[in-house]
């Protein structure tokens, strides 16, 4: 009774592209009418085209599937062709359609279906797809060395890092965010499938519960330490901060990256069982905020300005020298901010009685050397929170600018 | 601005228990008003008390966190005390409240907070918590051997099983289902925390996209093979089938299990990359249904009766001898059915370029010896689908009946 929603959508729109970029809410409402999955009731379509890629300042959707891939060919033309193919596929899927035309099983029975099918009855679900290029893509395979952004460094090993090579690096990345995890998983799977013979999955990560809001229209979510996270995050509405701290321009040295950004990825295991044994006062001192309202210590409400100097009755500063908010604040980092867009995760258990839980940290900045790196150096060296976290995965990607009509992901690079 | 929703809810209800069991929709609507996470807009509370535990015939929620635990004490009283504590906690959390009173950070700063906090701003989200007792709980530690249900067998090793001991077994299980994954994760985490010193996590699994509907009010979801899954599932509305095939009675030999059920858990890895290379005709022959509508082969619509005898033009049966629907059908299994309530999963990638994806199979039946076991023996021996799947985890639990007001989980067992 509902298997044709993705097919019909495209049929109604004539060519599908008519829907792309409009941002209009399209009424599917299948499961909503039937009292089914509320997560599937979301009817929003996020425009694919634009000056910047979607999935950066787009209000953070609640579900993530992130994949890092390696390129298995040295043939530059094959890579370019795949990027063109992926762009068309992403335009379709973010509009709520199948990955390729005719994938809805009306076609030849003798061939594998064009679309794998698990999102066939589901709406667009605010799906965004964001692509990135890792440092290793700029080696000698494709002649891209001269086009590597200066800020796309090989990330240093920070104090206390315990990185798993199976959870780091990658020539390419695709970030899929959506209101429904099945829509995000479907998108990654079908892009990976289109890449057979050219790319293969290096590692992948699911996440939920967006650990930061990216718009003033969203309430601040809580991470798995139970604290509101990202209160001071750069928001979509703060155009000055985006201009200064997120988007690259030609002056950053690589004109093809103008309108793009740099993405730092860190898989941060949280030792939640240990954290949960810490008294409330201790938790709040480590963070530098109250757990209930999220107000900075010494203040009343979540969005009150952080005052790093306010003293308590004993003369000690209320926000401790090793508090997370102090060390991560732009006041102590020469004004540096980042745009965080991470997710919580639970990857089963660790085999010794604990949940394998944490924060999959995703942060966009303009120059990682001047923003993320000094921030993380301060945190990994001094943050009281380091007793409860461990960085187990790390990657870095150049996020090219958005795609114009008729263009393709990373066109300016090739 | 919104950190008090769980606190306020309980405050408004006086003692919390007033809300439990009403099933009334409670209007939190925090994020909904703010245009935030649509998954958080769900405002449904599922009653905790009843003849049967919630989370079996409850219309399947879209997110799962399942945990298997081992008991680390031999002290029966400690176990009983924990079950009482867990029951109170489950009543509170399924009503949208914190795990214990005063957990919302209004209490002592010198003690660890009672509630871990990450669900503080989120509504009940249709949370259900369902407990089960594994075969190993009936060993000599607690004097329960004589109370082991006859149907709660040690599951046999089926042909082609490739079981990982780190993903199987368990003295206890807790199934958390919710509209929001963060609410399910919060519930498991806080129950695990209450169990420190008595239980510890043996393994755990997240899932999404409910792979079977459990009510005629729901559309049939798709699994990661892209097919509608569970069209012929036992539904909440089919009271005859529930009576005959799901709920145990005193006549099954253990009066304490009357109103309970048996839960079979199988983690089924799907080789989706191989599946995706199979032509459409082949996929449909393996399943025995069309991929688009889900109609049985030879029929027109999803809910048309399966005809195992209808022949095609070449005289061959349209539903092949090794088709999944034939082998799993009650017609070929002496009328045996099961109530499936599984979830899709993607646990990252497998290290050799593929997604670690599959189906976390959860099925409730009255006598596993007569229902699941013969079904799986037929499937594992003959099902054409076995080329594409591998059972990597296995567990079996006795699901005690529902809790009466003032009672506790598994009260009849102790």
């Amino acid at each position: 009774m509902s298997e044709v929603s993705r097919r019909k959508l495209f049929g109604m729109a004539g060519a599908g592209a008519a829907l792309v970029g409009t941002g209009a809410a399209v009424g599917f409402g299948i499961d909503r009418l039937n009292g089914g999955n509320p997560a599937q009731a979301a009817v929003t379509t996020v425009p694919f085209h634009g000056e910047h890629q979607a999935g950066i300042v787009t209000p953070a959707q609640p579900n993530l599937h992130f994949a890092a891939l390696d390129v298995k060919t040295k043939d530059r033309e094959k890579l370019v062709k795949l990027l063109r193919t992926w762009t068309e596929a992403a335009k379709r899927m973010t509009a709520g359609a199948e990955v390729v035309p005719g994938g809805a099983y009306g076609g030849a029975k003798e061939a594998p279906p064009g679309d794998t099918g698990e999102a066939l009855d589901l709406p667009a679900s605010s799906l965004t797809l964001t692509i990135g290029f890792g440092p290793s893509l700029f080696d000698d395979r494709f002649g891209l060395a001269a086009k590597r952004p200066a800020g796309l460094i090989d990330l240093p090993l920070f104090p206390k890092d315990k990185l798993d090579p199976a959870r780091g690096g990658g020539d390419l990345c695709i970030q899929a965010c959506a209101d429904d995890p099945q829509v995000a998983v479907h998108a990654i799977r079908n892009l990976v499938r289109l890449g057979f013979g050219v790319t293969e999955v290096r590692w992948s990560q699911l996440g939920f519960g967006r650990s930061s809001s990216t718009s003033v229209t969203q309430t601040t979510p809580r991470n798995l330490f139970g604290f509101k996270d990202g209160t001071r995050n750069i928001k979509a509405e703060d155009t000055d901060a985006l201009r200064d701290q997120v988007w690259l321009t030609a002056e950053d040295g690589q004109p093809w990256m103008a309108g793009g950004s740099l993405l730092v990825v860190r898989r941060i295991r949280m030792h939640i069982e240990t954290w949960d044994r810490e008294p409330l006062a201790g938790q709040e001192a480590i963070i530098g905020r109250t757990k209930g309202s999220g107000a900075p210590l010494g203040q009343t409400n979540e969005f009150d300005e952080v005052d790093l100097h306010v003293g308590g009755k004993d003369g000690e500063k209320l926000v401790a020298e090793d508090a997370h908010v102090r060390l991560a604040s732009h006041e102590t980092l020469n004004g540096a901010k980042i745009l965080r867009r991470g997710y919580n995760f639970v990857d089963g258990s660790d085999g010794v009685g604990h949940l394998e839980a944490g924060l999959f940290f995703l942060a966009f900045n303009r120059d990682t050397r001047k923003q993320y790196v000094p921030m993380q150096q301060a945190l990994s060296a001094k943050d009281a929170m380091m007793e409860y976290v461990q960085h187990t995965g790390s990657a870095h990607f150049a996020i090219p600018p958005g795609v114009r009509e008729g263009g393709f992901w990373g066109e300016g690079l090739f």
Side-chain angles (χ1 to χ4, degrees), chain A residues 260-328:
Chain A
S261 191
L262 297 175
L263 170 61
V264 176
V265 182
R266 305 284 289 184
R267 183 180 185 275
I268 306 174
R269 169 83 190 273
M270 288 171 159
H271 297 294
I272 59 174
E273 294 83 1
T274 315
W275 178 260
D276 288 346
R277 291 193 184 95
E278 178 70 30
L280 177 56
Q283 291 186 3
E284 294 183 337
I286 290 164
I287 303 289
R289 291 182 177 274
T290 56
K291 195 164 188 177
S293 69
L297 294 184
Q299 315 301 326
T300 310
N301 298 307
E302 181 194 350
F303 290 100
D304 289 348
E305 274 300 307
V306 175
D307 182 341
L308 298 175
H309 309 292
V310 63
K313 53 188 172 186
D314 53 0
E316 292 280 310
K317 284 177 182 162
L318 281 179
V319 178
E321 293 296 337
D322 59 357
H324 187 77
V325 291
R326 175 184 296 275
L327 295 166

Side-chain angles (χ1 to χ4, degrees), chain A residues 337-374:
Chain A
K337 298 182 179 182
I338 56 175
L339 189 159
R340 296 181 50 186
R341 207 174 194 288
Y343 287 83
N344 303 324
F345 70 82
V346 176
D347 291 342
S349 49
D350 67 359
V352 292
H354 303 131
L355 294 176
E356 174 79 28
L359 174 69
F360 189 67
F361 174 97
L362 298 168
F364 295 88
N365 63 192
R366 184 173 172 182
D367 190 335
T368 303
R369 296 168 298 181
K370 299 177 185 167
Q371 294 167 264
Y372 177 75
V373 167

Side-chain angles (χ1 to χ4, degrees), chain A residues 76 79-80 83 132-134 137-138 142-149 152 171-172 254-257 398 400-401 408-414:
Chain A
R76 175 177 165 134
L79 177 57
V80 171
L83 289 169
F133 304 131
L137 194 73
F138 298 88
F142 308 107
L144 298 173
K147 289 200 166 180
R148 180 169 170 173
L152 185 68
D171 290 334
L172 302 169
Q254 292 290 357
W256 73 272
M257 276 291 288
F408 66 94
W409 264 334
E411 186 172 11
L413 177 59
F414 294 96

Side-chain angles (χ1 to χ4, degrees), chain A residues 19 56 99 119 133 179 239 265 280 289 377:
Chain A
L19 261 170
I56 303 171
V99 62
F133 304 131
D179 297 333
T239 48
V265 182
L280 177 56
R289 291 182 177 274
Q377 277 170 337

